[in-house]
Amino acid sequence: MPFYREPIQIPKGHSFRVLRWQNNVRDVEQVISPLRSVRIGGEGTHWHYHQALELTLFISGEGTRFVGDRIQPFRGGDLVLLGETLPHYWHTRGPSTGISVQWHFPTTHPFWALPESEFLSTYFKAATRGVQYTGRSAELLRAQLHQMVETEGLDRLGLLLRILATSAAAPARSPNSGRRAGNSD
């Protein structure tokens, strides 16, 4: 099955984008600020990939998640990180809601000049097959993603850095079937 290369358009004045959907993954809005959003076409129901990393939370709904060579069921609360150029799509059964954050920091991006960002290089590489978050790590990330649509400016950037730190610090499980991160408490 062919996949589509989705061009990710980061909004002017932003270094990443926040998406949400209320009914299905085709009717997506890009959240510019808590009071402003722009409708965009979602590619979630087609095989697609993009240069950006993507952290996706399904708040409600259920279906089947296709990520790379893995096929798994999902339901509300499901939280996954998709690496750069990782083909994926969601086959939902009925309505769904969710939030995604997409970012792309190539090796030439000024982000990598910050010494504190060095440990994220390994984390981003681990996402090449996808990462599913569970347990306490997932709880923290879900709360942070919900906050993402309510913030803007430097507060939103700071929240992205907290999300990156939380997700990169999550303990890994089941490395042979794709990375699963979380803890049991």
Side-chain angles (χ1 to χ4, degrees):
M1 180 182 280
F3 9 97
Y4 169 70
R5 183 178 189 274
E6 179 184 12
I8 302 296
Q9 300 295 322
I10 303 296
K12 185 176 177 155
H14 297 257
S15 24
F16 59 98
R17 74 180 190 171
V18 178
L19 307 174
R20 78 174 157 205
W21 64 96
Q22 299 296 325
N23 189 34
N24 65 66
V25 291
R26 288 180 311 279
D27 299 326
V28 175
E29 58 185 0
Q30 185 169 266
V31 181
I32 307 300
S33 73
L35 300 175
R36 184 170 166 247
S37 62
V38 176
R39 289 234 176 256
I40 63 171
E43 292 298 331
T45 59
H46 304 95
W47 267 111
H48 71 286
Y49 69 97
H50 36 72
Q51 287 299 117
L53 280 91
E54 176 179 327
L55 183 62
T56 296
L57 167 64
F58 271 85
I59 298 167
S60 67
E62 65 180 11
T64 305
R65 175 180 59 234
F66 297 80
V67 175
D69 61 358
R70 288 188 322 277
I71 302 170
Q72 299 171 309
F74 75 87
R75 64 176 195 261
D78 191 68
L79 182 62
V80 294
L81 173 67
L82 305 167
E84 293 179 4
T85 69
L86 179 62
H88 59 281
Y89 87 94
W90 318 102
H91 179 75
T92 57
R93 288 186 293 279
S96 68
T97 61
I99 302 168
S100 287
V101 176
Q102 297 175 326
W103 68 93
H104 181 59
F105 302 148
T107 56
T108 57
H109 193 281
F111 177 80
W112 297 112
L114 301 170
E116 295 85 356
S117 66
E118 188 175 318
F119 84 101
L120 289 172
S121 176
T122 302
Y123 163 63
F124 288 174
K125 285 178 185 151
T128 57
R129 295 209 55 221
V131 178
Q132 180 179 8
Y133 295 94
T134 61
R136 180 73 179 135
S137 301
E139 288 175 30
L140 291 169
L141 288 166
R142 284 183 201 110
Q144 291 167 337
L145 282 168
H146 281 286
Q147 291 173 7
M148 188 64 80
V149 298
E150 300 300 326
T151 62
E152 61 186 312
L154 285 175
D155 287 336
R156 186 178 272 188
L157 178 60
L159 189 51
L160 176 67
L161 293 175
R162 284 196 303 274
I163 286 170
L164 294 177
T166 300
S167 55
R173 286 194 208 163
S174 306
N176 294 335
S177 61
R179 187 166 180 239
R180 185 176 186 149
N183 42 33
S184 56
D185 44 87

